[in-house]
């Protein structure tokens, strides 16, 4: 059974990804990628690109700083340009390919950063080589619109989860080959994850379930992680503790699992972290983005339609999530990403300050406005702000995934009361008509009156 294709795909939210020294930002049909960290030894130098010099031939030099010209390494790709390429790669899936908006739905880097893959709203899987320079390797058609993808640690396959509940694998070594179905659910898939050794594949769906299967034999189900009461929006295996799984859901919880046995070891109720808003019973704390940093075992979550980022620390000895801090945003948050050293980057809906950077200091994350890559990447996004056209002011991307509650008993009792009232009214009307007819009859027959006279 195929899920409703209008769910969570028509207006994908922009996102940010960091892989080593490379930062990539998606928005609409495009993505921008650049090295956000300056070359080593840049503490006393101001680096300018050639495009900067074209706009300002005589830049001001700060006292004690050298002016150095570096290559403008910004790479921009528009999925609209992949239309012609995809015509030659449809093959047997040509009939199932439909017209779409070309918006990017999901993307991921390989563990080494050598490969980058994305899927768009036109049902295409586009594979890139990002090292030593960006190069598009293939454009392939997929059966259904996708919700999530991941590249194996061996960097030989791309696993793509789609809206019909299936997971397909696509070869990297053979970039023109078609996909092979690996497993399927009966409901829409929202996320897919792998264990660091590629032994287990984990899938999360709309119907509250997390399934754990063997990658080599996906029909062999190892366990189910059951406990969420709404759709499971995000899952990932903790990289430096590969026996643990973290999940987030529309039920306003983040849970920690020993996924091989399906055992829940900790549950954090997000509404309890917002006591000031506890009286609002309609408030939902669904998690739209997650990020994890191995240095310190920190996890950050971004809420859906709530301008707040929450940071937790994973206590592996006690197997618990410890709440550390809230970061309130002045604008809607689009994405979050940790760098290897623990710095947290936030992408937000603000042209003047599209990026925020927070770094850990004395156990708290504090704004770092002096970060070298912040001005560079913010300027790139500001100058290419049209990338995010159509992404502003969007509502929740999960609003159609929540369970619809029906109070059938109240409606039944109401209809029953209406039927009883109708019967009572009808009975009273009949009694009234019968009494009226009885009063209209004479007391004595006419014959008796004539005999007396």
């Amino acid at each position: 059974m195929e899920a409703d294709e209008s769910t969570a795909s028509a207006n994908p939210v922009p996102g940010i990804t960091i892989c080593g020294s490379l930062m990539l930002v998606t928005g609409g049909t495009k993505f921008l990628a650049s090295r956000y960290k300056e070359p080593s030894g840049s503490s006393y130098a101001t680096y300018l690109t050639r495009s900067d010099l074209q706009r300002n031939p005589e830049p001001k030099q700060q006292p004690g700083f050298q002016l150095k010209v570096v290559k403008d390494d910004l790479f921009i790709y528009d999925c609209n340009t992949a239309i012609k390429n995809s015509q030659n790669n449809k093959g047997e899936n040509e009939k199932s390919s439909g017209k779409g908006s070309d918006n990017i739905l999901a993307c991921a880097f390989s563990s080494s950063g050598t490969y980058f893959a994305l899927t768009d709203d036109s049902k295409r899987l586009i594979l890139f080589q990002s090292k030593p320079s960006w190069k598009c390797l293939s454009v392939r058609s997929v059966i259904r619109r996708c919700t999530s993808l991941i590249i194996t640690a061996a960097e030989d396959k791309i696993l793509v989860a789609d809206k019909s509940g299936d997971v397909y694998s696509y070869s990297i070594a053979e970039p023109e080959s078609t996909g092979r179905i690996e497993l399927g659910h009966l409901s829409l898939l929202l996320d897919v994850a792998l264990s660091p050794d590629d032994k287990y594949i984990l899938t999360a769906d709309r119907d509250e379930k997390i399934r754990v299967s063997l990658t080599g034999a996906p029909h062999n189900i190892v366990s189910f992680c059951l406990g969420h009461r709404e759709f499971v929006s995000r899952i990932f295996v903790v990289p430096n503790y590969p026996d643990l799984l973290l999940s987030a859901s529309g039920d306003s919880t983040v849970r920690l699992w020993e996924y091989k046995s399906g055992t829940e070891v900790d549950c954090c109720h997000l509404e309890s972290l917002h006591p000031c808003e506890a009286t609002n019973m309609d408030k939902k704390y669904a998690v739209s983005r997650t990020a994890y940093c191995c240095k310190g075992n920190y996890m950050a979550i971004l809420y859906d339609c709530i301008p707040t980022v929450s940071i937790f620390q994973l206590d592996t000895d006690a197997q618990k999530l410890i709440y550390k801090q809230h970061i309130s945003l002045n604008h809607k948050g689009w994405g979050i990403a940790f760098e290897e050293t623990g710095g947290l980057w936030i992408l937000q809906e603000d042209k003047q300050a599209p990026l925020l950077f927070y770094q850990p200091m004395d156990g708290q994350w504090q704004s770092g406005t002096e970060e070298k890559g912040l001005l560079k990447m913010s300027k790139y996004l500001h100058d290419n702000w049209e990338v995010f056209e159509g992404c502003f002011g969007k509502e929740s991307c999960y609003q159609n995934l929540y369970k619809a509650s029906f109070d059938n008993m109240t409606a039944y009792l109401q209809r029953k009361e209406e039927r009883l009232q109708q019967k009572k009214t009808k009975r009273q009307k009949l009694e009234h008509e019968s009494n009226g007819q009885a009063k209209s009859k004479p007391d004595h027959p006419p014959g008796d009156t004539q005999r007396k006279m």
Side-chain angles (χ1 to χ4, degrees):
M1 179 179 64
E2 182 179 352
D4 179 11
E5 291 214 354
S6 65
T7 304
S9 70
N11 297 303
V13 179
I16 180 173
T17 304
I18 291 178
C19 183
S21 61
L22 190 66
M23 179 182 292
L24 186 143
V25 176
T26 61
T29 66
K30 299 179 182 179
F31 73 81
L32 296 80
S34 176
R35 296 189 181 279
Y36 72 98
K37 288 188 175 181
E38 301 292 357
S40 59
S42 60
S43 300
Y44 298 98
T46 301
Y47 285 82
L48 301 173
T49 64
R50 299 189 184 279
S51 58
D52 291 332
L53 292 178
Q54 290 177 357
R55 287 188 291 265
N56 184 13
E58 298 181 358
K60 294 182 179 180
Q61 182 175 354
Q62 298 180 11
F65 282 73
Q66 298 177 351
L67 288 177
K68 294 185 179 181
V69 179
V70 295
K71 182 181 178 180
D72 192 344
D73 62 346
L74 178 63
F75 177 76
I76 302 177
Y77 185 85
D78 191 343
C79 290
N80 288 325
T81 63
I83 296 177
K84 294 182 180 179
N85 294 334
S86 65
Q87 300 299 323
N88 299 324
N89 292 283
K90 287 185 178 179
E92 60 187 39
N93 297 333
E94 183 174 4
K95 293 183 180 180
S96 64
S97 232
K99 293 182 179 180
S101 63
D102 297 335
N103 286 331
I104 298 173
L105 302 180
C107 64
F109 274 103
S110 63
S111 55
S112 68
T114 303
Y115 298 103
F116 175 76
L118 67 84
T119 59
D120 67 7
D121 195 53
S122 292
K123 303 179 184 178
R124 293 173 301 191
L125 172 65
I126 307 177
L127 176 63
F128 297 88
Q129 178 181 298
S130 56
K131 293 179 180 180
S133 60
W134 283 92
K135 178 183 178 182
C136 181
L137 298 179
S138 68
V139 180
R140 288 175 276 192
S141 294
V142 295
I143 300 297
R144 296 287 185 267
R145 288 181 175 87
C146 302
T147 55
S148 179
L149 67 85
I150 191 171
I151 299 176
T152 58
E155 300 190 357
D156 58 347
K157 290 190 295 186
I158 308 168
L159 297 178
V160 178
D162 66 28
K163 300 177 74 64
S164 64
D166 297 326
V167 174
Y168 284 81
S169 65
Y170 293 83
S171 172
I172 291 180
E174 300 176 0
E176 303 296 337
S177 62
T178 58
R180 185 183 73 176
I181 189 167
E182 298 289 347
L183 59 87
H185 284 231
L186 293 178
S187 66
L188 179 149
L189 286 178
L190 294 175
D191 206 1
V192 59
L194 285 166
S195 60
D197 59 1
D198 287 341
K199 185 177 180 180
Y200 300 97
I201 177 173
L202 301 92
T203 45
D205 66 21
R206 180 181 183 175
D207 293 338
E208 313 163 5
K209 298 189 304 296
I210 302 172
R211 183 198 294 182
V212 183
S213 309
L214 290 176
T215 306
H219 59 277
N220 189 343
I221 299 175
V222 178
S223 67
F224 284 98
C225 299
L226 304 177
H228 284 296
R229 298 180 180 275
E230 281 287 356
F231 58 88
V232 183
S233 57
R234 287 287 180 266
I235 58 171
F236 67 91
V237 177
V238 181
N240 50 342
Y241 293 93
D243 292 331
L244 298 177
L245 169 75
L246 281 163
S247 65
S249 168
D251 62 4
S252 302
T253 65
V254 175
R255 301 178 190 241
L256 181 66
W257 311 82
E258 290 181 346
Y259 62 89
K260 295 176 186 178
S261 62
T263 304
E264 179 185 313
V265 295
D266 191 29
C267 177
C268 177
H269 294 272
L270 300 176
E271 67 270 13
S272 66
L273 306 179
H274 302 264
C276 296
E277 302 175 3
T279 56
N280 190 349
M281 302 302 293
D282 295 331
K283 198 80 168 181
K284 296 182 175 67
Y285 297 94
V287 176
S288 61
R289 306 283 187 185
T290 58
Y292 184 81
C293 180
C294 294
K295 184 179 180 180
N297 304 327
Y298 291 108
M299 182 184 73
I301 61 173
L302 176 65
Y303 298 95
D304 179 42
C305 290
I306 300 176
T308 303
V309 176
S310 296
I311 301 177
F312 300 84
Q313 186 174 29
L314 174 61
D315 185 341
T316 55
D317 294 332
Q319 290 193 333
K320 287 187 175 296
L321 283 171
I322 302 173
Y323 164 73
K324 302 296 290 185
Q325 180 181 351
H326 284 317
I327 298 177
S328 298
L329 308 177
N330 295 326
H331 304 273
K332 180 180 179 180
W334 279 336
I336 53 176
F338 274 115
E339 58 182 27
E340 295 176 352
T341 57
L344 177 64
W345 292 82
I346 302 174
L347 177 67
Q348 64 174 359
E349 188 181 308
D350 182 19
K351 183 177 181 179
Q352 302 306 319
L355 285 173
L356 301 176
F357 178 73
Y358 286 82
Q359 52 191 350
M361 297 181 64
D362 300 326
Q364 293 288 308
W365 269 256
Q366 299 180 16
S367 178
T369 57
E370 300 299 325
E371 169 62 26
K372 300 168 187 175
L374 181 60
L375 295 177
K376 175 183 177 180
M377 297 306 300
S378 296
K379 189 174 185 304
Y380 279 154
L381 296 180
H382 182 276
D383 294 344
N384 295 276
W385 194 247
E386 68 278 1
V387 167
F388 305 110
E389 184 178 355
C391 301
F392 308 112
K394 298 300 180 182
E395 297 180 355
S396 168
C397 56
Y398 299 131
Q399 60 184 349
N400 296 326
L401 299 182
Y402 287 97
K403 293 178 183 177
S405 59
F406 300 97
D407 191 355
N408 295 333
M409 182 57 68
T410 300
Y412 166 75
L413 294 175
Q414 183 179 357
R415 291 194 300 270
K416 182 178 180 180
E417 182 65 25
E418 291 175 353
R419 289 195 301 270
L420 293 175
Q421 188 63 33
Q422 290 175 357
K423 289 181 179 179
K424 182 178 180 181
T425 303
K426 185 176 181 180
R427 185 170 60 252
Q428 291 176 347
K429 183 178 180 181
L430 291 175
E431 291 177 354
H432 179 74
E433 291 178 351
S434 61
N435 291 335
Q437 292 177 358
K439 291 180 179 180
S440 63
K441 292 181 180 180
D443 295 337
H444 301 284
D448 293 345
T449 303
Q450 291 178 357
R451 281 196 297 270
K452 289 180 181 179
M453 288 176 66

